[in-house]
DNA sequence: GAGTCTCCATAAAAATTGATTATCCAAAAA
DNA sequence: TTTTTGGATAATCAATTTTTATGGAGACTC
């Protein structure tokens, strides 16, 4: 590993002298004394074993070696300036990348709106959204591939301790029926009515599915008695199936806002049963938090947080 | 003029850490202690107001800002390395340019051989030859446009003192006749025979012409009695004129070697008259001497110098 | 899970580097 | 000539950097 034969300061001085044609003027320009520039140039010449300036006449003129060095000097200093600007932009959120993680539901129905808001405020920060399972998202946050994420499922125990988990919002999983289903006229269903329905569900690996199963089970239902018409792996597909009258399903309300408004899907109420899950914000406290990430968490998320979230208070 | 927010040393350290994935290993690589590395990175982070490394785990990982900076860092350091190499090449004569000045005669007949020899030894140094009048060449040397030059005439007095003038070689100006000229049979001519000749000469502005006139005059000849058939401004043109039988001329022997060997031109000897002029090497002592110029003067010129030149002794 | 190791941070002391003031010298300008 | 200007040099002084020594936190080992 070779020693560096010059410093940026020396290059800066070299450039100044070349521009001003004089050691003294360069010194004035750089707000140092003339001996300082003299010594630095002498050091530079000694270290590179070249003569850079002809000091003979009234003006300090570059030698051939001097001209050669000046060329590189300008390039190097330009790169330095550019680097500074890039860093500044990053600091002032005029650049950089924010990587956000989310589970299927949040990623599909919530994040686009949030990211839109963020980009409106900081159009020069590029945002990347990664939709993965809770588990995978958790690991990505842990090893820094994702800056922050919102998940709806339960993290593996080891990650639970490693990451910072903040309750963020409550996501209601509504029971939805085809709008022309006989039961869609009843004001309120009973739990037992569920056994009469044909369900279209997410596949059993899905976090959302597990959450729903667990909540139903906790409320005293025997989930093996529920009839499952089919298992699909996309919420959109399930929505279409329900609208086509193929069956009922538990779907996040955020995912069916449009359909409810249009009346193509019916949301049913069940006595003594609310299927709700907590959405959680996860970050990695042991990692550097980018400015963009910070701002997203402080300014964007709270606007979508539920009232009981700690994020509301900020 | 903005302060530089980082030093090359810091960039070097940054690069080393990024490459090694560890502060300690970087320290070892750079032959410094680990705290030195730590502090420099801390300074860098403080000055740029960014976090560069996540120091959490086993390895030091770059943050987004770190990666951004590293990119510029590599570019900058590469430019530095390149600059060093270019300078080294210049020092070791593996690059650079040598600008040589010469008058018409030397430039045409002597320099090409010298430059050939030089380029054979240092093929990577590009050589530029500028053929101009003695006067103009002198000024070019004075203001540094030419590294060194060989002239055959007299410099203006002021330049004479400013420049270093070293006798370099003696250039004989031979009286040449058409080979079928009646006088070309005589073993030796008398001075008076010159009055019988028709001369083809360089134009009267030319340094060589002035030198010849002066030497003839000094030897007692009345130059206004010499018959001048025509004045041309090119030695080659004169050579052709002489070969065509149009007249006689005084020409530098170096310029007619080939013609003498071929017998197309006759060189006459004149009793008690030798027309010789001194070729002189001129350099500018108050200016930086490039390595190439140095080497040319020390190693190439002597091989072509006459025995009485100081350059021979080197 | 206690012990050990590794790696980074920190504090104080030592060394190196760089800047300044005060002259000096040489060359250009008057 | 004399004066002026620009650069070199020397000694002092200040700042930065490096080192030594030490502490603490996380990661492997048994």
């Amino acid at each position: 590993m070779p020693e560096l034969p010059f410093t940026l300061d020396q290059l800066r001085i070299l450039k100044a002298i070349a521009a001003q044609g004089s050691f003294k003027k360069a010194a004035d320009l750089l707000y140092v004394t003339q001996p300082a520039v003299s010594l630095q140039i002498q050091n530079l010449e000694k270290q590179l074993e070249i003569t850079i300036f002809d000091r003979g006449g009234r003006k300090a003129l570059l030698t051939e070696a001097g001209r050669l060095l000046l060329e590189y000097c300008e390039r190097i200093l330009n790169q330095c300036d550019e680097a500074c600007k890039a860093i500044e932009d990053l600091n002032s959120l005029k650049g950089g990348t924010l990587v956000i993680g989310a589970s299927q539901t949040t990623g599909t129905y919530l994040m686009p709106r949030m990211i839109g808001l963020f980009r409106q405020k900081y159009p020069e920060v590029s945002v990347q959204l990664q939709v993965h399972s809770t588990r995978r998202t958790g690991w990505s946050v842990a090893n820094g591939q994702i800056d922050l994420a919102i998940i709806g499922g339960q993290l593996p125990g080891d990650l639970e301790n490693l990451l910072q988990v903040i309750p963020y919002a409550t996501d209601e999983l509504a029971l939805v029926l085809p709008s022309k289903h006989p039961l869609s006229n009843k004001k309120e269903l009973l739990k037992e009515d569920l056994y009469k329905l044909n369900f279209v569900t997410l596949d059993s690996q899905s976090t959302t599915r597990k959450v729903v199963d667990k909540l139903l089970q906790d409320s005293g239902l025997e989930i093996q008695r529920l009839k499952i018409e089919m298992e699909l792996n996309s919420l959109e597909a399930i929505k279409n199936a329900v609208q086509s009258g193929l069956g009922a399903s538990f779907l996040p309300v955020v995912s069916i806002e449009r359909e409810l408004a249009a009346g193509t899907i019916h949301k049913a109420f069940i006595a003594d049963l609310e299927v709700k899950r907590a959405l959680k914000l996860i970050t990695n406290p042991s990692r550097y938090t980018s400015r963009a990430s910070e701002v997203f968490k402080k300014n964007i998320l709270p606007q979508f947080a539920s009232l009981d979230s700690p994020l509301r208070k900020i």
Side-chain angles (χ1 to χ4, degrees), chain A residues 94-110:
Chain A
K94 286 191 185 142
T97 306
L98 174 63
V99 184
I100 297 176
S103 56
Q104 190 67 43
T105 313
T106 331
T108 309
Y109 304 102
L110 206 55

Side-chain angles (χ1 to χ4, degrees), chain A residues 5 27 35 66 72 79 85 102 114 121 130 133-134 181 196 218 263 279-280 294:
Chain A
Y72 285 99
Q79 287 289 323
K85 262 227 300 274
M114 292 208 237
K121 281 191 170 177
Q130 297 199 1
S133 68
T134 294
H181 191 278
K196 307 177 191 157
D218 289 352
L279 295 182
K280 288 157 286 188
E294 219 170 89

Side-chain angles (χ1 to χ4, degrees), chain A residues 59-72:
Chain A
K59 288 181 73 172
L61 289 173
L62 285 166
T63 63
E64 179 186 8
R67 280 189 299 274
L68 179 68
L69 187 59
L70 181 62
E71 267 183 51
Y72 285 99

Side-chain angles (χ1 to χ4, degrees), chain A residues 101-102 141 148 201:
Chain A
V141 172
L148 84 175
T201 72

Side-chain angles (χ1 to χ4, degrees), chain A residues 155-170:
Chain A
L155 283 173
D158 39 357
L159 282 180
E160 189 87 25
N161 304 322
L162 205 59
L163 304 179
Q164 185 180 34
V165 182
I166 303 177
Y168 165 61
T170 306

Side-chain angles (χ1 to χ4, degrees), chain A residues 198-232:
Chain A
N198 284 323
F199 280 97
V200 181
T201 72
L202 281 167
D203 68 90
S204 50
Q205 300 308 311
S206 138
T207 306
T208 304
R209 166 72 181 279
K210 286 183 197 157
V211 168
V212 172
D213 283 1
K214 184 164 187 306
L215 286 171
L216 295 180
Q217 199 149 34
D218 289 352
S219 79
L221 285 161
E222 303 165 66
I223 57 172
Q224 60 282 5
R225 283 185 55 200
L226 295 172
K227 282 175 287 186
I228 293 177
E229 186 73 23
M230 59 180 101
E231 293 189 349
L232 303 174

Side-chain angles (χ1 to χ4, degrees), chain A residues 12-295:
Chain A
R12 215 156 59 107
I13 292 173
L14 163 61
K15 184 179 165 187
I17 299 177
Q20 303 287 320
S22 148
F23 282 43
K24 192 181 190 62
K25 284 186 191 137
D28 294 344
L29 189 70
L30 299 171
Y31 302 111
V32 291
T33 55
Q34 168 264 315
V37 312
S38 276
L39 290 184
Q40 287 297 351
I41 293 297
Q42 282 172 35
N43 290 341
L44 190 53
E45 291 183 322
K46 209 174 297 170
Q47 284 166 323
L48 293 175
E49 300 178 319
I50 56 175
T51 304
I52 297 175
F53 289 103
D54 267 327
R55 286 105 154 143
R58 172 54 76 256
K59 288 181 73 172
L61 289 173
L62 285 166
T63 63
E64 179 186 8
R67 280 189 299 274
L68 179 68
L69 187 59
L70 181 62
E71 267 183 51
Y72 285 99
C73 169
E74 311 229 284
R75 268 200 289 248
I76 292 168
L77 292 179
N78 280 342
Q79 287 289 323
C80 291
D81 284 346
E82 235 184 83
C84 290
K85 262 227 300 274
I87 294 286
E88 258 175 50
D89 283 352
L90 199 67
N91 272 336
S92 59
L93 289 178
K94 286 191 185 142
T97 306
L98 174 63
V99 184
I100 297 176
S103 56
Q104 190 67 43
T105 313
T106 331
T108 309
Y109 304 102
L110 206 55
M111 277 306 170
R113 276 185 282 165
M114 292 208 237
I115 293 173
L117 189 63
F118 180 83
R119 298 262 313 161
Q120 204 172 323
K121 281 191 170 177
Y122 309 102
E124 290 157 305
V125 178
S126 73
V127 179
Q128 214 178 308
L129 175 65
Q130 297 199 1
V131 176
H132 291 302
S133 68
T134 294
R135 184 186 204 80
R136 180 160 170 197
T137 300
W139 281 111
S140 291
V141 172
N143 63 31
Q145 291 166 3
I146 287 179
D147 290 313
L148 84 175
I150 294 204
I151 54 171
Q154 187 63 26
L155 283 173
D158 39 357
L159 282 180
E160 189 87 25
N161 304 322
L162 205 59
L163 304 179
Q164 185 180 34
V165 182
I166 303 177
Y168 165 61
T170 306
D171 182 30
E172 186 190 349
L173 293 155
L175 172 63
V176 295
L177 306 174
S179 41
K180 44 192 187 267
H181 191 278
L183 285 181
S184 67
N185 297 323
K186 290 185 70 174
K187 208 169 185 180
E188 196 177 63
L189 303 190
L190 301 174
K191 285 186 190 171
E192 286 69 34
D193 291 330
L194 294 178
Y195 298 129
K196 307 177 191 157
L197 293 170
N198 284 323
F199 280 97
V200 181
T201 72
L202 281 167
D203 68 90
S204 50
Q205 300 308 311
S206 138
T207 306
T208 304
R209 166 72 181 279
K210 286 183 197 157
V211 168
V212 172
D213 283 1
K214 184 164 187 306
L215 286 171
L216 295 180
Q217 199 149 34
D218 289 352
S219 79
L221 285 161
E222 303 165 66
I223 57 172
Q224 60 282 5
R225 283 185 55 200
L226 295 172
K227 282 175 287 186
I228 293 177
E229 186 73 23
M230 59 180 101
E231 293 189 349
L232 303 174
N233 68 357
S234 136
L235 289 177
E236 288 301 317
I238 296 176
K239 272 160 60 177
N240 287 330
V242 173
Q243 286 178 84
S244 310
L246 294 178
S249 187
F250 283 97
L251 290 177
V253 287
V254 291
S255 73
I256 51 170
E257 283 178 352
R258 236 184 297 277
E259 287 76 9
L260 289 179
T264 58
I265 278 188
H266 175 78
K267 177 184 172 193
F269 295 86
I270 309 172
D272 301 325
L273 179 59
E274 270 198 331
V275 185
K276 287 187 172 175
R277 65 166 167 183
L279 295 182
K280 288 157 286 188
L281 166 69
I282 58 174
T283 53
N284 188 336
S286 68
R287 280 195 175 271
Y288 157 76
T289 307
S290 76
R291 290 267 297 116
S293 168
E294 219 170 89
V295 166

